[in-house]
Each structure stands twice: as C-alpha cells, then as structure tokens.
C-alpha cells in the first residue's frame, strides 16, 4: 500500500513530540525539515527514536559534493534513515548524498519537481524530466514529485520506473490523496494532519484515501 508520511513542520518541540506520538502508530514514516530541526536541534531525531518510525530529513540539500557529504553524515549520525536532496545540483553533488546514505544503510530521495505554484517557472520545460533521469543514473532511491500535479507525476514515473516516488502537496496545497496515492509510493501530508483538530482522525481519512 502507498505509504503515509507525516511532514512534522511544528516548531514547538513539545507539541511536535505530542503529535508524533499520537500519530506514529498510523504512519509509515515521519519527515522533519528546517522548521522543527532549527527550533529543536538535530537531536530531535533521537527523541523520536522510541516511536520506531523511519525518519526522513528534508533538508533539500543543494551544495557542493563535499559539503553535501558533511551534511548527510550529520543527518545519518543523528538517527535519520533517509535524506532529501535537490536534483538541479548535478550528478556529483547528488552522488555525495546517495553514497553517504548507502554507507549508513539509508536512502536518498532527489527533488525532481516541487509542488508549489512557482515551481513551474524552473522545473517545467524538461528540467524535472532531466533531474528524474539523473536520480536514476545516480542510483538514488527515489524522487520527490508534486501531488498538486498528478499528470506530471505520471510523466516522471515513466522515467524513474520502479524507483520510489514520494509526493508532497496533499491536503493544504490542494493535492487529492486518492488520486495521487494510485501513482506514487508515499504521500507526504503536513498541515492537513498536524493542524487538524484531531490529527489521528485526519490520518484515518488519508489512510482510507490510499485504498479508495
Ligand atoms: O515540492 C515539495 N513540496 C513540499 O511541500 C517538496 C517538499 N519537500 N515539500 C514539503 O512537504 C514541505 O516542505 C512540507 O514539509 C511538506 C508539505 O507540507 P503541507 O503542505 O502538507 O503542510
């Protein structure tokens, strides 16, 4: 079944831990990014460890190969099992993340196309397709593709084949869970869960959408 991944962009650490604990039994993974990690520190990964869920570090790493390697090592040392890097940085810089992930037995996902409206200015016109092909060439574990544009996900799927596609943009950004769940390996949902009155009930609805 398509995985359900919570984007835990909650900047209050106590609140984040509370939501994660309540939601964890119903999730396949938790994605953390700058909002929570900048407010709570990388050690938040260790505090989430007892929930026994894979943790994805969404740093959208986009630097030179050596810097990417240093960033990725910190991420995996902290207890994350996956890292997200940008794809426009090119093969050598992507490979730096892929190689570190492999050394730690983890995974690396490459952003092929972003989900927000402004993303079309640079990702369309062949760039996302090129990045997806580069992700395959670099032996990344998968790509990030937009739930807000299912037709684009279908095109990128043809390029990446059976490599994983994780898809943000469901809910708050307008993406429809049941439409995109049929096309991808994991849907990433943030605000529609953590801002819900009852996050667990919200999760139940997204879970149902995966099989609808
Ligand atoms: O293209 C992307 N779009 C996107 O929303 C790539 C991402 N990594 N994200 C992240 O997914 C975004 O930073 C946030 O953490 C999550 C979506 O959250 P929400 O819109 O469901 O609240």
């Amino acid at each position: 079944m398509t995985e359900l991944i919570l984007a835990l962009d909650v900047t209050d650490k106590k609140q984040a831990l509370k939501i994660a604990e309540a939601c964890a039994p119903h999730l396949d993974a938790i994605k953390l990014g700058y909002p929570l990690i900048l407010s709570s520190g990388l050690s938040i990964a260790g505090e989430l460890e007892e929930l026994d869920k894979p943790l994805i570090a969404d740093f959208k790493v986009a630097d030179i190969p050596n810097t990417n390697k240093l960033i990725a090592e910190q991420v995996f040392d902290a207890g994350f099992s996956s890292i997200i890097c940008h794809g426009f940085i090119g093969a050598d810089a992507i490979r730096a993340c892929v190689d570190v992930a492999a050394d730690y037995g983890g995974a690396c996902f490459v952003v092929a196309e972003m989900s927000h409206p402004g993303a079309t200015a640079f990702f369309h016109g062949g760039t996302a397709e090129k990045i997806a092909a580069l992700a395959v060439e670099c032996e990344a574990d998968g790509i990030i593709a937009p739930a807000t544009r299912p037709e684009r996900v279908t095109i990128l799927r043809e390029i990446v084949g059976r490599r994983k596609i994780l898809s943000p943009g469901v809910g708050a950004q307008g993406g429809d869970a049941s439409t995109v769940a049929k096309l991808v390996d994991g849907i990433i949902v943030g605000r529609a869960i953590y801002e819900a009155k009852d996050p667990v009930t919200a999760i139940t609805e997204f879970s149902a959408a995966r099989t609808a």
Side-chain angles (χ1 to χ4, degrees):
M1 192 191 314
T2 308
E3 293 187 351
L4 179 57
I5 301 160
L6 171 65
L8 191 57
D9 297 325
V10 176
T11 52
D12 179 84
K13 185 178 166 182
K14 256 189 167 172
Q15 182 72 2
L17 291 172
K18 195 175 143 202
I19 292 172
E21 197 183 337
C23 294
H26 315 281
L27 298 170
D28 297 292
I30 302 175
K31 182 181 82 63
L32 281 66
Y34 292 109
L36 179 56
I37 294 172
L38 288 177
S39 68
S40 306
L42 203 52
S43 59
I44 184 82
E47 296 189 52
L48 291 167
E49 212 164 43
E50 65 187 41
L51 301 178
D52 205 23
K53 291 289 160 186
L55 299 178
I56 303 170
D58 185 1
F59 281 149
K60 295 184 190 69
V61 181
D63 217 308
I64 60 166
N66 186 62
T67 306
N68 289 356
K69 174 176 174 284
L70 296 173
I71 294 168
E73 285 170 350
Q74 301 273 330
V75 161
F76 287 104
D77 276 339
F80 286 89
S81 55
S82 300
I83 191 167
I84 296 174
C85 72
H86 260 303
F88 61 78
I89 55 180
D92 50 353
I94 293 173
R95 272 203 190 99
C97 295
V98 170
D99 289 348
V100 173
D103 285 348
Y104 281 82
C108 175
F109 293 90
V110 177
V111 178
E113 176 172 329
M114 295 189 74
S115 58
H116 59 300
T120 59
F122 290 103
F123 285 100
H124 284 191
T127 302
E129 286 87 341
K130 265 192 207 164
I131 294 174
L134 201 54
V136 173
E137 187 190 313
C138 293
E139 298 182 45
D141 297 271
I143 61 163
I144 305 295
T148 46
R149 295 180 213 101
E151 72 287 357
R152 295 288 303 154
V153 174
T154 302
I155 290 167
L156 297 173
R157 169 63 79 195
E158 278 173 28
I159 297 168
V160 301
R162 286 158 71 171
R163 275 174 215 271
K164 279 191 168 186
I165 299 183
L166 304 184
S167 195
V170 169
Q173 295 180 53
D176 177 59
S178 56
T179 304
V180 81
K182 294 183 182 75
L183 308 173
V184 303
D185 302 276
I187 54 171
I188 297 172
V189 189
R191 285 164 287 177
I193 292 175
Y194 68 74
E195 284 182 354
K197 218 177 188 177
D198 178 3
V200 174
T201 304
I203 287 185
T204 313
E205 285 163 18
F206 284 112
S207 278
R210 293 182 296 168
T211 49

